[in-house]
Amino acid sequence: ENTPQVLVPSADGTVTYGNDLASVDASHAEEGYIMAKYTGSKDMAKLLITAPGFEKPYQYTFRSNDYETFPLTGGSGTYTLQVMENVEGNQYATAFSLEEEFTIKDELTPFLYPNQYINFTSGSKAVAKGADLASDARTDLDVVANVYNYVTGNVSYDTEKAGDSQRLKLYLPDPDETLETGKGICFDYAALMVTMLRSQRIPARLEIGYAG
């Protein structure tokens, strides 16, 4: 069955932490995500999530005044969450911190939900295209192959965007835009593929960094 399944994160307010500067909603931590927002007055704020067994945190930049979704990718265990607000220049100060043990029901679930980096809804064109690509597939591996072949065959590398370092500092991909324009940087390729796979119930992890 290739009917898309798009999970919808929500901040229900049943489990919350925070202060005057930040709020964390962990109502669905067992599903592998938390929602957080910065409510202070600084122009820039970041969320650092240190997962169990990891020394370095995942770093995210808040993009709005509303709740945004962030994954808990380290499985069950103790997480450290830090909201850091920009003081001046490259200096940040702790606005809120939390150390909490979360139990994740299924370690694959965090890789099915949309989040800040992989943002899609049931109405996304990328979700519809993913369903189309899965229509003749017999197995999950067939879906992966179809999606991979489509993206690598129809998206070209955007060298102009890749050279715009200022733009990329706070860049977030838009899978629908990548689909429509047929071009993007590696982040765009990955986000489009992950959107298609997650909406077809296939857990997919997006890695950020440089390889080999």
Side-chain angles (χ1 to χ4, degrees), residues 134-153:
S135 62
D136 64 349
R138 293 188 176 184
T139 68
D140 285 353
L141 188 55
D142 289 340
V143 177
V144 174
N146 288 353
V147 168
Y148 173 82
N149 289 332
Y150 177 84
V151 173
T152 56

Side-chain angles (χ1 to χ4, degrees), residues 86-148:
N86 183 244
V87 180
E88 61 177 340
N90 294 322
Q91 295 182 333
Y92 283 79
T94 302
F96 174 72
S97 63
L98 168 71
E99 187 175 285
E100 188 68 27
E101 184 169 349
F102 295 127
T103 300
I104 314 299
K105 288 193 303 184
D106 183 338
E107 63 181 14
L108 295 179
T109 305
F111 307 106
L112 289 171
Y113 272 94
N115 57 46
Q116 190 200 59
Y117 278 1
I118 308 136
N119 191 11
F120 60 93
T121 67
S122 58
S124 297
K125 293 179 180 178
V127 169
K129 186 61 181 179
D132 179 54
L133 293 170
S135 62
D136 64 349
R138 293 188 176 184
T139 68
D140 285 353
L141 188 55
D142 289 340
V143 177
V144 174
N146 288 353
V147 168
Y148 173 82

Side-chain angles (χ1 to χ4, degrees), residues 33-196:
Y33 72 87
I34 56 100
M35 301 191 76
K37 62 180 176 180
Y38 172 69
T39 53
S41 60
K42 303 299 183 182
D43 292 335
M44 181 82 72
K46 296 180 180 292
L47 173 65
L48 277 58
I49 300 180
T50 305
F54 286 73
E55 293 183 2
K56 294 184 178 180
Y58 292 97
Q59 295 190 39
Y60 303 92
T61 301
F62 287 103
R63 306 305 173 93
S64 74
N65 294 323
D66 296 324
Y67 274 115
E68 296 177 85
T69 308
F70 303 96
L72 301 174
T73 56
S76 298
T78 301
Y79 285 79
T80 301
L81 310 179
Q82 294 172 282
V83 175
M84 310 292 293
E85 60 180 8
N86 183 244
V87 180
E88 61 177 340
N90 294 322
Q91 295 182 333
Y92 283 79
T94 302
F96 174 72
S97 63
L98 168 71
E99 187 175 285
E100 188 68 27
E101 184 169 349
F102 295 127
T103 300
I104 314 299
K105 288 193 303 184
D106 183 338
E107 63 181 14
L108 295 179
T109 305
F111 307 106
L112 289 171
Y113 272 94
N115 57 46
Q116 190 200 59
Y117 278 1
I118 308 136
N119 191 11
F120 60 93
T121 67
S122 58
S124 297
K125 293 179 180 178
V127 169
K129 186 61 181 179
D132 179 54
L133 293 170
S135 62
D136 64 349
R138 293 188 176 184
T139 68
D140 285 353
L141 188 55
D142 289 340
V143 177
V144 174
N146 288 353
V147 168
Y148 173 82
N149 289 332
Y150 177 84
V151 173
T152 56
N154 291 275
V155 180
S156 59
Y157 194 77
D158 191 338
T159 54
E160 183 179 349
K161 182 190 289 187
D164 189 346
S165 59
Q166 285 299 114
R167 179 184 180 187
L168 295 181
K169 284 182 179 179
L170 294 175
Y171 182 72
L172 287 178
D174 180 338
D176 281 1
E177 180 180 309
T178 305
L179 185 66
E180 291 172 3
T181 62
K183 60 182 181 179
I185 57 173
C186 49
F187 201 176
D188 297 308
Y189 281 71
L192 177 57
M193 289 187 66
V194 170
T195 293
M196 292 179 173

